[in-house]
Each structure stands twice: as C-alpha cells, then as structure tokens.
Amino acid sequence: MAAEVVMPKLGMAMKEGTVSTWNKKVGDSVSKGDMIASINSEKIEMEIEAPQDGVILDILVQEDVGVPPGTIICYVGKPNEQLTEQNSSANELQTPKNEVAATISLEEPPANAASSKKSKETVRISPIARKIAESENIDIEMIKGTGPKGRITKADVEKVLTEKASETSHPPAEMDEATKKETLPVAGMRKVIAGRMHNSLLNSAQLTINMKADVTDLLSLQREIKEVIQQRHSVKISLTDFIARAVVLSLQEHKQMNSAYIDNEIHLYNHVHLGMAVALENGLVVPVVQHAEKMPLVELAAEIKTRAADARQGQLSTDRMQGSTFTITNLGAYGVEYFTPVLNPPETGILGVGATEGVPMYKGDDLQRRNVLPLSLTFDHRVLDGAPAANFLGAIKHYLEQPILLLL
C-alpha cells in the first residue's frame, strides 16, 4: 500500500514548512531511509527519508512552496501502483490555502462571452511559477504544463526563459575561458539564512556601536584556573565562555537589551536564553542555552560546548534552537576585528566579538603591552537609544576588565 510522506512539525511554533529540494522525481526507485527531499522552516533544515522501499508515485508539493505541518507532500509505493480514491480525497482536503487559487479551475465562462479563450486565472500554475512568469512578462496561456493535470511548474517557466534567451543571443563557438562563470543555486540552509537576514534588515532599525575591552587580566586569570577547572569539571574554559558570562550578567542589569520587538510591543524577559552562533560547512546555526542566568561560569561553559558539538554533528534538536533572547557571534578566530552583526529576529541585540590584539597602552604613567578585545553591538533602535545601548556594552567591558566578578 502506498505510504504518505508528510511535512513534519519542526517545533511547536512552526506554522509552515517549505520543500527546498526534491532529490527524487516521480517514478524514481527508492529504498527505505533514502533521502528524498530537503525541507526547511525558519532556522531549521532537515532531510526527509523514504518510509519504505518502492518508487515515488506522486509529488504533491513543488519546490519553494510552503505548506502547513501534516500536509502530504508525496506518496511512495510499489511500481505501477495506482493511488486509491481515498488517497485522492485526502490530497484534496490537505491542499494548502496558498495553492487553492492556483489549482482549482473556475467555472466555464458564459456562452455569450466575447472570447472562448480561457482566462489566465483558470490556468493551473504553481504560485512560484506564476510569480516568475509575471516578472518576465511571459504569457502563461502559451506555456505547456508538465505537472499533474497539466499544471505549469517552475521548471516549465524556466524552460521558456531558456528558450527565449537562446533565440536572442548568439554566443561565439568557443567561449573565452576568462569569461566563464559558475552559477550556484540558493537553496536549503543558505536560502533560509538569506531570507531571515534580509527580513531582519527590512523589519528593524539596526545600529551598531563599537568598544574595546582590555582583557589582559582576564587572559591571565584564564591561564591560572584552566587546568584546575579541566581536572575537576572536565571543561576547558575559553575566552568565549568568559564573554558569555559577562553578557549574561550585563543583560540582567540592562533588561531593555534582553527583549524583543513583537507586534509593536516591547517584550522584556527576566530569563536569559543565550544564543551562540556556530558556523557549519553549509551555513550558520544558533544553539540556545536556556536560563543562562542560573548558571555559574563552569556550567555555562559546559552547556555552550555541548550545544556547539551537537550543532556540528547535526544532532541539535529543534527546541535547542528556539527562544533566544540575545545572541553572541564570534569571528575572532578568523582575524576579524570590528564588524556589523545582523540581528537574530525578534531579538533586540547581538554582540559581535573580534580578535584579541596586543597593543601598547598606558597604565598610569607606565607604557605596557596590553591585550584588547574588539566588541561590536548591534541593537534595534526601535527598542532603545544609543546611550542605554552604550551603557550595556560598557557593562560587558567592565566585567571583562574585572574578571574576578565573573567567578562570583
């Protein structure tokens, strides 16, 4: 019997998931556990596996189309197996709202209509295909659809565009090697990140301020205690851990920064759910340490390392990537000094950490070699102004320059 493959629910707050890539097409053979598609929602991306051996009988949701959790996206069954009437009925019932206008034919025009030519509104076409066709001024009535029941797909429109381009351009027989280029599709995690960062800049008033902290004493303290902590707690304390602790303490003193701008309201949080950005081979994820305000330095360091390891191994659960109230992103390992981090919506602030640098600095009348740490704070100007944001960044600087406070 044909098995239904449905859009999974990737977290309690998920309202819609999108098929980013189909790895298989209708008629392809699959084995149980084969990766047949990639889907994404918000920050989360995952692979969908075949539930049983067989072939792909039908694909109901095209690439780049968002549907609610529980929606059937394809069927897997035996070769030449016919989908039952019950399957078809289930498909009709679960069709997402944003597809209705594109898949339901309108009634026939009245007999006295001036033209028997069908309206563009009755053409079966996916939303993404219609959008591309409209932006390129392509008459959708002239496109032959290859989807179910003659539905026009994104691939059909792209084929027309390719044919038009070949008609109007006459490239030389041998293209100069220097002019060749490679085109990479924006898909999967990269597409999710691109959308979120673009929306972040569009929907907030972001401002970045910079400050440097003298971490000479902090680095000395780290060297003094790291062996003892590693022996007693099996945790290697890093500079990032001290910074995270300084941020948590500062957020408790400056609650306006520990907030979110949602539906024209400022939500202030008493808890600190700290996001720690982790770079992966194909993108970026932000594991969240819940209730970081309740953790001493050693426990916080252990949680940060556990989350980062899970993220790099692809074992981070969805609930560990949600609900952050403030984020830290560190580019110091890449030699970056100051930069402009982009807010992780709907958070009010994000701290960018740069590379520590040894510089000559006066301490009283003495010229000494000191280690300075560049800090870049991006904040939402709708929530607070420059002065309170500077006070918050100054609090982080104070804790980093008085490192004994981080152990209390």
Side-chain angles (χ1 to χ4, degrees):
M1 180 177 178
E4 300 173 348
V5 180
V6 302
M7 177 65 67
K9 189 172 181 64
L10 306 178
M12 295 298 294
M14 175 180 169
K15 296 181 180 179
E16 184 179 270
T18 301
V19 178
S20 52
T21 306
W22 279 107
N23 301 326
K24 302 289 184 179
K25 61 181 183 295
V26 174
D28 284 355
S29 298
V30 296
S31 299
K32 183 178 180 180
D34 284 353
M35 301 301 178
I36 59 176
S38 297
I39 61 99
N40 63 71
S41 173
E42 292 293 324
K43 309 175 192 176
I44 305 167
E45 180 178 14
M46 69 175 292
E47 302 287 340
I48 297 295
E49 300 180 356
Q52 63 183 30
D53 295 344
V55 299
I56 304 295
L57 295 177
D58 196 7
I59 290 177
L60 308 179
V61 178
Q62 302 302 314
E63 292 182 1
D64 300 320
V65 174
V67 293
T71 300
I72 301 171
I73 61 175
C74 77
Y75 288 102
V76 176
K78 297 179 181 179
N80 301 318
E81 180 179 352
Q82 298 297 315
L83 294 177
T84 65
E85 188 68 27
Q86 183 178 1
N87 293 139
S88 301
S89 299
N91 179 35
E92 292 297 324
L93 290 173
Q94 59 88 45
T95 301
K97 292 181 179 178
N98 61 347
E99 287 286 283
V100 172
T103 58
I104 297 179
S105 297
L106 302 180
E107 295 180 359
E108 291 294 324
N112 60 353
S115 172
S116 61
K117 192 175 184 179
K118 63 180 180 179
S119 167
K120 292 182 180 180
E121 292 300 321
T122 67
V123 176
R124 292 179 179 273
I125 181 170
S126 72
I128 186 66
R130 184 184 294 275
K131 185 176 181 180
I132 295 174
E134 291 176 351
S135 65
E136 298 293 336
N137 294 319
I138 298 175
D139 186 354
I140 60 176
E141 295 180 11
M142 305 302 294
I143 303 175
K144 182 179 180 180
T146 59
K149 299 182 180 180
R151 189 165 182 258
I152 299 172
T153 67
K154 177 183 175 183
D156 297 328
V157 179
E158 290 176 340
K159 181 180 179 181
V160 173
L161 287 174
T162 301
E163 292 173 351
K164 288 180 64 177
S166 63
E167 292 174 0
T168 57
S169 63
H170 303 282
E174 293 185 5
M175 183 179 290
D176 185 355
E177 287 293 327
T179 63
K180 289 184 178 180
K181 65 179 182 179
E182 182 181 5
T183 301
L184 299 176
V186 180
M189 184 179 291
R190 183 74 267 150
K191 186 172 183 179
V192 174
I193 294 172
R196 284 183 59 80
M197 293 300 96
H198 185 242
N199 289 335
S200 174
L201 291 170
L202 285 178
N203 298 318
S204 60
Q206 302 191 23
L207 177 64
T208 302
I209 58 177
N210 303 307
M211 193 175 288
K212 56 188 176 184
D214 182 351
V215 293
T216 308
D217 296 338
L218 174 58
L219 294 176
S220 296
L221 177 64
Q222 179 193 8
R223 288 191 293 268
E224 289 177 16
I225 67 175
K226 67 177 183 180
E227 289 187 8
V228 175
I229 291 178
Q230 191 162 4
Q231 291 174 0
R232 291 186 177 181
H233 304 282
S234 300
V235 176
K236 186 176 180 180
I237 294 291
S238 69
L239 178 60
T240 298
D241 301 326
F242 283 102
I243 296 169
R245 178 63 176 158
V247 167
V248 171
L249 293 173
S250 300
L251 286 171
Q252 291 179 285
E253 297 173 4
H254 300 268
K255 293 187 180 295
Q256 250 189 308
M257 190 62 71
N258 192 45
S259 64
Y261 192 96
I262 303 174
D263 296 332
N264 293 320
E265 293 180 338
I266 299 173
H267 296 237
L268 302 177
Y269 302 111
N270 292 320
H271 61 270
V272 177
H273 290 351
L274 189 63
M276 302 293 296
V278 175
L280 304 179
E281 184 177 349
N282 61 337
L284 181 79
V285 295
V286 184
V288 180
V289 179
Q290 281 84 6
H291 291 290
E293 79 283 358
K294 297 181 180 180
M295 300 178 185
L297 176 64
V298 174
E299 184 180 352
L300 179 61
E303 286 295 320
I304 290 172
K305 287 169 176 55
T306 298
R307 300 284 189 275
D310 288 346
R312 294 188 179 99
Q313 295 168 12
Q315 298 176 351
L316 198 65
S317 59
T318 57
D319 62 312
R320 295 300 188 186
M321 290 192 288
Q322 297 176 346
S324 56
T325 61
F326 188 91
T327 295
I328 298 174
T329 178
N330 192 335
L331 293 179
Y334 302 94
V336 174
E337 295 181 356
Y338 297 103
F339 60 103
T340 305
V342 178
L343 288 177
N344 184 20
E347 297 169 15
T348 292
I350 180 172
L351 180 70
V353 180
T356 304
E357 181 183 10
V359 299
M361 182 183 298
Y362 276 101
K363 296 291 288 185
D365 295 331
D366 297 329
L367 183 62
Q368 302 177 8
R369 183 186 188 279
R370 308 293 291 182
N371 294 296
V372 297
L373 179 70
L375 301 172
S376 304
L377 174 69
T378 296
F379 64 96
D380 192 337
H381 215 321
R382 297 175 302 171
V383 177
L384 73 169
D385 300 322
N391 287 334
F392 168 74
L393 191 55
I396 297 175
K397 170 185 169 72
H398 172 71
Y399 279 113
L400 294 177
E401 294 183 348
Q402 304 293 328
I404 194 65
L405 299 175
L406 302 175
L407 303 179
L408 301 179

